[in-house]
Amino acid sequence: QLFYFDYVLGQEGLVGVVSTLNVIVVIPAVILTTYISKRVGKKMTAIIGTAGFSICELLNFTLFGGEVIPFLIVNTIGSMFLVIPTTVSWAFIADVVEYGQWQSGLRSEGIIYSSYSFTRKLSQALAGFLPGLALAMVGFKSNVEQTASTIVGMKFVFFGFPLIITILGLFIFLIFYPLTDKRHNQIVKELALREEL
């Protein structure tokens, strides 16, 4: 963010503004998550949030990422969408525990939760390492005016790469995650009949 704001938008101070806006949208996004989840279920709620974030990244990458005010508006909306799958993902942990128990007969909350926790920590570590590597790959050099190709590369690192990863995640989730709320309720009933709950 800092490099993009400084070298592309010419506004190094935007980091604080963006961080503040991201915090402001958390509470409305959590309320919205609850509302959507009650209407369409957890899986569809996560899909809606992820798709909304992807659209905002696409808009900033193609249209608005070079202008401060349009960028701030679209980025804030995108942040709000991103809170939705982040919030509902915690509910998936319990669903996966019961799904695993239904399949194997073993209830393994500890392994499932620690795997999720490890994955989050690994993602945070990669999030600290990969942007620096990506900036080097696009030709970024500190304290000099960036070339046109470097600016395009920085836009790709900031918007395009998250867009691709998010679409890939959305595809995997749509195809390989079978637990709708209806299916989860059936599993819970079967576990209750087997006296495993």
Side-chain angles (χ1 to χ4, degrees):
Q1 280 187 351
L2 180 62
F3 296 122
Y4 186 82
F5 296 161
D6 189 12
Y7 289 94
V8 179
L9 295 178
Q11 300 279 335
E12 185 178 347
L14 276 183
V15 172
V17 174
V18 169
S19 298
T20 302
L21 291 171
N22 288 348
V23 169
I24 289 170
V25 299
V26 169
I27 292 174
V30 170
I31 293 168
L32 186 62
T33 302
T34 304
Y35 175 80
I36 297 171
S37 184
K38 286 179 181 176
R39 297 283 183 268
V40 298
K42 294 185 291 288
K43 179 177 178 177
M44 187 54 67
T45 300
I47 289 169
I48 290 167
T50 305
F53 174 75
S54 299
I55 291 167
C56 290
E57 289 295 278
L58 179 63
L59 289 172
N60 266 334
F61 183 61
T62 57
L63 299 172
F64 303 121
E67 300 293 326
V68 174
I69 300 301
F71 159 75
L72 286 174
I73 293 167
V74 175
N75 189 71
T76 302
I77 295 168
S79 295
M80 188 164 154
F81 273 115
L82 190 58
V83 170
I84 294 171
T86 303
T87 301
V88 82
S89 68
W90 293 97
F92 289 136
I93 297 172
D95 293 1
V96 169
V97 167
E98 285 154 355
Y99 180 74
Q101 181 181 1
W102 174 76
Q103 275 197 322
S104 68
L106 299 171
R107 190 169 180 90
S108 52
E109 297 106 322
I111 291 171
I112 290 169
Y113 180 77
S114 61
S115 298
Y116 179 66
S117 180
F118 172 76
T119 304
R120 286 174 58 89
K121 288 181 170 113
L122 180 62
S123 298
Q124 289 168 342
L126 289 173
F129 167 72
L130 290 178
L133 180 64
L135 284 173
M137 290 174 68
V138 300
F140 174 80
K141 292 182 177 65
S142 187
N143 300 319
V144 297
E145 188 174 338
Q146 305 305 311
T147 65
S149 62
T150 300
I151 297 290
V152 171
M154 291 175 76
K155 281 186 79 172
F156 179 78
V157 170
F158 196 52
F159 303 117
F161 186 69
L163 171 63
I164 291 168
I165 295 299
T166 305
I167 290 173
L168 178 62
L170 188 60
F171 174 77
I172 291 169
F173 192 64
L174 279 166
I175 302 299
F176 298 108
Y177 188 80
L179 285 177
T180 61
D181 282 14
K182 182 179 178 182
R183 182 71 181 122
H184 177 253
N185 289 337
Q186 290 171 340
I187 287 169
V188 169
K189 286 176 185 173
E190 286 184 36
L191 289 174
L193 287 172
R194 283 160 34 181
E195 298 182 347
E196 292 183 21
L197 277 183

